[in-house]
Amino acid sequence: MSNVQRITQLQLTRRPRRNRQSAAIRNMVQETRLAVTDFILPLFVLEGEGVRSEVVSMPGIHRYSLDLLLEEVAECVGLGLTTFALFPNLPESKKDKYATESYNPDGLYLRAVKAIKDRFPDVVVMTDVAMDPYSSDGHDGIVENGKILNDPTLEVLGNMALAQAKAGADIVGPSDMMDGRVGYIRQVLDAGGFHDVAIMAYSAKYASAFYGPFRDALDSAPRFGDKKTYQMNPANSREALIEAELDYAEGADFLMVKPALAYLDVIKLLKDNFDLPIAAYNVSGEYAMIKAAARNGWLDGERAMMESLMAIKRAGANVILTYFAKEAAQLLKSV
Ligand code: PBG
């Protein structure tokens, strides 16, 4: 008896391939589905008029002056995107040690938040609460003698979050990793009457190499040292539970893991332990890697994009911040 005959005599009662034999069946048994409503698109705003400048390390992603930003939002809304995370690129002259420009109501960022909400009242605007885009030190906290001060930074973050709420932000996103910031911001917002402004906590934010292109986009790289005294050590996952527990107790409305792809286990961990919506930030470096490989013809960029986004959702994130949001929305619309 040949090997082939011997195998066909096997009585296999369980044949997983039966559920993969046609597109219709595969679709029927599919466990995870991406929808345009899963995505938050990060957007970069810069000063000027009629300016659209591509981020070299993020092909296809641009910094827009406010006029063109509004056009971009309109286009994205047409594709079904509803939520945008806004970040500012500021000239060096607007930066200082205390990030004071971050709560200037006439400054670029807050004007942009207001303009988006005025023109698109149904759009959800998520703002970034962190000092680094406005800091002459390029850090997320006040720097003194080479140290990042925690408690004095909270005051700046509170001012910033309140100013953003006044400008119309729906969700504020503290991305700074100072201890106690979620509770502090919640208090400040509530005292200001902004009970309805939500907090998406960057709970497990790691000191990652994958933020490089974002720092190019904002010219926000730390001027000295690194962010390891406040962002988490990539070696740790149990510590993510401590961060998430604190953010939960302090009133966070969403818990976020960042980056996403190298931290799928952490996404799953938070998903299994908390009943809040779990967000994941598919960061700039994760975007850049796929774009670079696709440009070289080394992999199919579209498929790699959709597979990555699917993996993030499968791991447990029901909200995905991603630079792919527009492209993925286009693709989802076309099928
Ligand atoms: C900083 C901030 C960073 C990102 C979002 N907010 C970078 C950093 O911590 O240095 C990175 C986002 C990305 O890489 O796409 N507050």
Side-chain angles (χ1 to χ4, degrees):
M1 200 190 289
S2 75
N3 276 345
V4 172
Q5 279 171 324
R6 201 170 290 132
I7 287 167
T8 52
Q9 279 175 358
L10 277 174
Q11 292 297 313
L12 285 183
T13 45
R14 185 68 60 203
R15 288 183 183 272
R17 288 187 57 195
R18 271 198 288 268
N19 283 348
R20 293 178 207 138
Q21 63 188 300
S22 71
I25 289 177
R26 287 193 296 273
N27 264 329
M28 186 161 49
V29 301
Q30 180 163 329
E31 297 173 32
T32 310
R33 265 174 234 281
L34 289 169
V36 63
T37 44
D38 298 331
F39 306 135
I40 298 179
L41 175 65
L43 289 171
F44 301 124
V45 62
L46 88 182
E47 285 180 349
E49 224 181 295
V51 187
R52 180 177 185 272
S53 88
E54 191 169 39
V55 183
V56 174
S57 49
M58 302 177 75
I61 298 297
H62 300 81
R63 292 161 287 216
Y64 298 96
S65 56
L66 186 46
D67 53 335
L68 297 188
L69 184 79
L70 293 171
E71 286 178 25
E72 177 65 11
V73 171
E75 209 178 295
C76 292
V77 166
L79 289 167
L81 290 167
T82 58
T83 308
F84 301 88
L86 191 62
F87 296 94
N89 171 294
L90 296 186
E92 225 33 57
S93 59
K94 291 267 163 68
K95 303 186 182 184
D96 62 25
K97 264 194 105 50
Y98 300 100
T100 47
E101 179 67 12
S102 65
Y103 44 90
N104 169 11
D106 301 320
L108 167 71
Y109 189 70
L110 296 176
R111 276 191 289 118
V113 171
K114 191 170 181 317
I116 297 174
K117 288 300 293 186
D118 283 349
R119 172 133 169 229
F120 309 97
D122 295 334
V123 151
V124 177
V125 173
M126 171 173 166
T127 50
D128 183 52
V129 184
M131 288 176 61
D132 56 329
Y134 315 90
S135 155
S136 46
D137 294 309
H139 274 286
D140 295 49
I142 297 173
V143 179
E144 211 174 270
N145 301 323
K147 282 202 162 180
I148 316 301
L149 305 183
N150 194 86
D151 299 11
T153 297
L154 297 186
E155 198 179 322
V156 180
L157 300 177
N159 289 341
M160 201 183 302
L162 185 63
Q164 292 168 352
K166 286 181 182 161
D170 301 281
I171 304 175
V172 297
S175 66
D176 56 287
M177 288 303 276
M178 295 300 117
D179 292 337
R181 87 271 205 223
V182 170
Y184 187 86
I185 290 169
R186 187 70 270 160
Q187 276 178 20
V188 170
L189 290 177
D190 288 352
F194 294 102
H195 302 93
D196 291 338
V197 172
I199 300 178
M200 186 181 292
Y202 287 63
S203 300
K205 177 171 178 180
Y206 288 88
S208 172
F210 293 103
Y211 305 150
F214 174 93
R215 293 176 188 173
D216 294 343
L218 300 192
D219 301 312
S220 65
R223 305 299 186 260
F224 71 89
D226 53 41
K227 298 191 173 186
K228 290 179 184 167
T229 68
Y230 46 107
Q231 297 180 348
M232 284 178 58
N233 181 346
N236 298 353
S237 63
R238 292 174 60 245
E239 193 182 345
L241 289 173
I242 301 178
E243 289 286 358
E245 275 161 24
L246 287 168
D247 290 348
Y248 181 87
E250 292 173 28
D253 301 282
F254 299 79
L255 303 176
M256 190 207 292
V257 175
K258 177 182 177 185
L261 288 174
Y263 299 86
L264 296 178
D265 57 324
V266 182
I267 295 175
K268 172 91 166 80
L269 188 66
L270 295 201
K271 177 73 168 191
D272 288 345
N273 284 282
F274 295 90
D275 293 332
L276 286 174
I278 304 297
Y281 201 138
N282 179 213
V283 299
S284 57
E286 298 175 323
Y287 175 86
M289 283 195 298
I290 290 180
K291 284 291 173 192
R295 281 202 160 181
N296 274 295
W298 293 342
L299 49 71
D300 179 331
E302 258 179 21
R303 288 188 54 208
M305 161 178 82
M306 294 313 267
E307 187 174 330
S308 303
L309 295 172
M310 186 67 85
I312 295 167
K313 188 165 185 187
R314 189 196 63 233
N318 31 353
V319 176
I320 306 173
L321 291 97
T322 179
Y323 303 96
F324 286 121
K326 188 177 177 191
E327 224 179 309
Q330 274 158 343
L331 211 68
L332 288 170
K333 204 167 188 174
S334 69
V335 289

